[in-house]
Amino acid sequence: EAQVTQNPRYLITVTGKKLTVTCSQNMNHEYMSWYRQDPGLGLRQIYYSMNVEVTDKGDVPEGYKVSRKEKRNFPLILESPSPNQTSLYFCASSPPTGENSPLHFGNGTRLTVT
Amino acid sequence: DAKTTQPTSMDCAEGRAANLPCNHSTISGNEYVYWYRQIHSQGPQYIIHGLKNNETNEMASLIITEDRKSSTLILPHATLRDTAVYYCIVRVGPGSARQLTFGSGTQLTVLP
């Protein structure tokens, strides 16, 4: 089944403890992206990647890192999490930008930083 | 990518058509209009997209005005399961790598 898989679904951590949220897609998509969702603010893009070893900042990249060493994986790294990074995170993928390139989203990771 | 403007919320009676508007007055010629929806806190789900012609699929219809500055998503026979937040975004076509911006969307509530 074609899907985007995020892990973990729920994560509670403490300020300053490094964490990684994994994202994997099995559709051979070139484009991948991370979003965070907060009440009243909709979905805001953190980072995106057009292909392996190509990443770019979105609207709210501060405090986050990403890597794209393989096509299928796009992990989100929080080196020193802070409470303002408590949020619902979504990973998405799609074929290259083009007419038939809808985004496929994962089921989300709810992160709480205390 | 062009910014979009949507109403914050709308109600619709079950079985009736739900018409969700979106303004994208700064849309460029090579930008497509995409619609997604998000049920509760699940990952957003793709619904439909178009460039300038009206489009229809098994989920919905998309009507784009001739000047392309606005569009309407139509759910022909809304059910309770269509209650969700609906997002309209515009995305550049082939050959360009751009970040995508979602707005706050429209909360559609289908009433029994």
Side-chain angles (χ1 to χ4, degrees), chain B residues 7 22-23 27 31 39 57:
Chain B
C22 179
N23 286 322
I27 194 170
E31 288 182 315
I39 297 173
N57 63 19

Side-chain angles (χ1 to χ4, degrees), chain A residues 29-30 93-104, chain B residues 32 34 36 46 48-51 55 91-94:
Chain A
H29 284 165
E30 283 81 0
S93 74
S94 79
T97 309
E99 177 178 354
N100 293 312
S101 56
L103 288 168
H104 298 256
Chain B
Y32 291 77
Y34 281 79
Y36 293 81
Y46 164 78
I48 197 168
H49 74 280
L51 182 62
E55 302 287 344
R91 189 175 193 191
V92 178

Side-chain angles (χ1 to χ4, degrees), chain A residues 31 35 37 40-43 45 48 50 57-59 88 90 94-103 105-108 110, chain B residues 3 32 34 36 38 40-46 49 55 87 89 91-104:
Chain A
Y31 181 95
Y35 291 86
Q37 186 171 35
L41 295 176
L43 286 155
Q45 192 173 44
Y48 64 100
M50 289 303 298
K57 295 178 180 179
D59 295 317
L88 179 59
F90 290 103
S94 79
T97 309
E99 177 178 354
N100 293 312
S101 56
L103 288 168
F105 283 84
N107 284 328
R110 188 169 292 280
Chain B
K3 298 265 188 247
Y32 291 77
Y34 281 79
Y36 293 81
Q38 185 177 25
H40 194 43
S41 294
Q42 298 176 20
Q45 175 192 23
Y46 164 78
H49 74 280
E55 302 287 344
Y87 296 97
I89 69 169
R91 189 175 193 191
V92 178
S96 180
R98 302 285 288 275
Q99 64 189 65
L100 297 180
T101 301
F102 281 72
S104 297

Side-chain angles (χ1 to χ4, degrees), chain B residues 2 12 18 23 27 33 42 50 57 62 64-66 69 75 106 110:
Chain B
C12 176
N23 286 322
I27 194 170
V33 180
Q42 298 176 20
N57 63 19
L62 174 61
I64 302 174
T65 58
E66 193 168 342
K69 294 185 177 182
L75 308 178
T106 297
V110 180

